[in-house]
């Protein structure tokens, strides 16, 4: 089962402005995340609490 992808603010429109190759990689990374996995190039954000 896939998790719902929720776009916040202008994130979807901002992503559309990236080059096609970047959008493709990001799209696949979102797909993997929705399926409960982790894309091999992802890293956790640092400097945020919580």
């Amino acid at each position: 089962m896939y998790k719902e992808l929720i776009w916040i603010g202008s994130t979807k429109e901002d992503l559309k402005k990236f080059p096609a190759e970047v959008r493709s990689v990001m799209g696949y990374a979102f797909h993997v995340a929705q399926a409960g996995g982790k894309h091999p190039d992802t890293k956790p954000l640092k400097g945020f609490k919580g």
Side-chain angles (χ1 to χ4, degrees):
M1 177 155 198
Y2 286 94
K3 297 177 183 179
E4 181 181 6
L5 180 61
I6 300 171
W7 298 98
I8 298 174
S10 64
T11 54
K12 188 172 184 178
E13 292 77 24
D14 295 341
L15 180 62
K16 291 178 183 180
K17 296 175 185 176
F18 282 81
E21 185 176 338
V22 174
R23 290 193 316 266
S24 178
V25 171
M26 291 296 297
Y28 179 65
F30 290 145
H31 171 76
V32 171
Q34 284 181 284
K38 180 181 172 193
H39 189 278
D41 293 337
T42 58
K43 294 186 256 181
L45 289 174
K46 299 204 180 210
F48 293 93
K49 304 277 183 192

